[in-house]
Amino acid sequence: MNTTVNDGGATGPADGASSRPTGQGRIVLAATPIGNLADASPRLIELLRSADLVAAEDTRRTLHLANALGLRIPGRLISYHEHNESSRIAELLEAVAAGSTLLVVSDAGMPAVSDPGFRLVEAAVEAGLEVTAVPGPSAVLTALALSGLPTDRFTFEGFLPRKPGERAALLADLAGEQRTMVFFEAPHRVTPMLTALAEAFGGSRRAAVARELTKLHEEVARGTLDELIAWAEPGVRGELAVVVGGAVASEEADDVDHVAAVQAMMETGVRLKDAVAAVAERDRIPKRQLYADVVAARSRPAS
C-alpha cells in the first residue's frame, strides 16, 4: 500500500504547501475554469505565480488564462498533452525529485480526468513523490448536478469510441448499468451519439445534454433520448456533457421472459429482427442483448 500525507489545509499557505522536508518537490494538479474565468481559485492563481514548472495541456490557453487573470507566469511553462505525455514524464519527475514544485493544468477542469495527468501521477506515486491537488471546476460534476437525474451513484464514461462497432459493443455492456452515466462528446457528433444511446438503451431513457457550462450561453436540455435527438438534429454548438439515467431495476421487469415473447411473435410469422425490435421497444431493454439471448436459446438442444 502506498500512502502519502499532505499537511496543507485550511490554515496553511494559499498554495496548499505542506511541511515537507527542504529540497523535496511536489506535483500539484490544479483545476482551471471550464468557462467562467471568475471560477479560478485563489490557490490556482497563487500557484501560477509561484510554481517552478507549469505543465500545460495547451501553453497558449494557459497564457491566455494568466493574461485574463492579470498575472504573469514566472516559472518555466512547458507543453504536456496526450501526444507527448509519456516522453515528458521522466523529465518532470526528475525536476520534482530535485525540489521543484510542478503545477499541472489542463485546458479546462481537473487534470487526469479525461485529460493528461494520470500517467504522471501513477509514475510519481511509484517513485514516492508527493502529489496533491487544488480542486475546482468540473464539467462532470456540474453537468451531473444540473441534469435533474439521480446523483447519489454515478459513473463517468468519457468519450465513446468513434467506430460504430466499438461504440455499440461498449453501450451494450452499459445497457444494464443502474447508475447515472456521464459522457463527453463533440458537438458535431452528438446527434449520432444520442442515436446510438437510444438504440442501446431505448428511446424513452431519460437524459440531459449540458452545453457551454458556466458560460454566457449555458443551456441544459432535458428529456428522453428520442426528444434529445430531435433537439440536437438542427445542430449544436459548444462544449458538451451528456448525462444519461441508469437502467431501472424492477421486479416486474425481472419476471418478464423477453425471449419467450420474441419466440411467440415469431410463431405468428414475424421475422426475428422485427420481433426483437418490438419487444425491446415495448419492454425498454437493449435490442442487441435480446437478439443474442434469442439466438442462444434457439441454438440450445431441446430438453
Side-chain angles (χ1 to χ4, degrees):
M1 183 176 72
N2 188 306
T3 303
T4 60
V5 178
N6 184 342
D7 296 327
T11 59
D15 65 350
S18 68
S19 56
R20 60 190 182 283
T22 302
Q24 179 180 328
R26 60 176 177 155
I27 297 171
V28 185
L29 307 176
T32 55
I34 60 176
N36 193 319
L37 296 181
D39 292 334
S41 71
R43 291 179 64 198
L44 169 64
I45 293 171
E46 177 59 30
L47 279 159
L48 286 169
R49 287 175 172 150
S50 63
D52 302 297
L53 284 162
V54 179
E57 185 178 7
D58 186 330
T59 56
R60 294 167 300 180
R61 293 280 292 270
T62 301
L63 285 171
H64 173 75
L65 173 63
N67 290 334
L69 295 174
L71 59 89
R72 185 178 66 87
I73 299 177
R76 182 185 170 204
L77 180 63
I78 61 175
S79 64
Y80 180 67
H81 48 71
E82 61 178 331
H83 302 297
N84 70 1
E85 185 173 12
S86 297
S87 62
R88 286 283 198 197
I89 288 177
E91 172 190 357
L92 296 176
L93 293 186
E94 182 179 353
V96 174
S100 295
T101 292
L102 169 63
L103 174 65
V104 182
V105 293
S106 64
D107 290 346
M110 177 62 74
V113 180
S114 196
D115 280 323
F118 161 70
R119 291 184 177 86
L120 177 63
V121 173
E122 182 181 41
V125 170
E126 183 66 25
L129 297 174
E130 180 184 346
V131 183
T132 186
V134 174
S138 166
V140 176
L141 296 180
T142 304
L144 177 67
L146 294 177
S147 68
L149 296 167
T151 60
D152 54 337
R153 299 174 66 239
F154 71 95
T155 174
F156 174 57
E157 299 296 333
F159 287 90
L160 290 174
R162 294 189 183 185
K163 295 182 178 179
E166 295 177 3
R167 182 173 59 196
L170 176 60
L171 291 178
D173 290 339
L174 292 175
E177 174 61 67
Q178 295 181 22
R179 294 171 293 181
T180 300
M181 294 165 279
V182 184
F183 302 87
F184 285 163
E185 190 51 274
H188 63 282
R189 291 197 298 267
V190 69
T191 301
M193 179 229 192
L194 292 170
T195 301
L197 289 170
E199 291 175 351
F201 302 161
S204 60
R205 182 77 69 92
R206 305 294 299 179
V209 179
R211 186 180 75 86
E212 295 288 86
L213 288 171
T214 76
K215 298 180 183 178
L216 179 62
H217 300 292
E218 176 182 294
E219 178 184 12
V220 181
R222 305 174 183 88
T224 65
L225 286 169
D226 282 342
E227 290 170 342
L228 290 173
I229 292 170
W231 167 83
E233 280 179 346
V236 179
R237 294 182 180 180
E239 301 291 332
L240 300 176
V242 179
V243 187
V244 183
V248 177
S250 65
E251 295 181 1
E252 293 82 359
D254 292 340
D255 291 339
V256 175
D257 189 339
H258 305 293
V259 172
V262 171
Q263 292 172 333
M265 292 183 67
M266 292 174 61
E267 290 174 359
T268 67
V270 178
R271 294 187 308 167
L272 170 59
K273 181 179 179 180
D274 295 335
V276 167
V279 173
E281 178 65 20
R282 183 194 70 190
D283 296 339
R284 301 180 182 180
I285 59 175
K287 284 193 297 185
R288 183 182 293 270
Q289 185 59 54
L290 177 57
Y291 187 95
D293 291 343
V294 173
V295 171
R298 295 176 71 187
S299 65
R300 288 194 292 268
S303 57

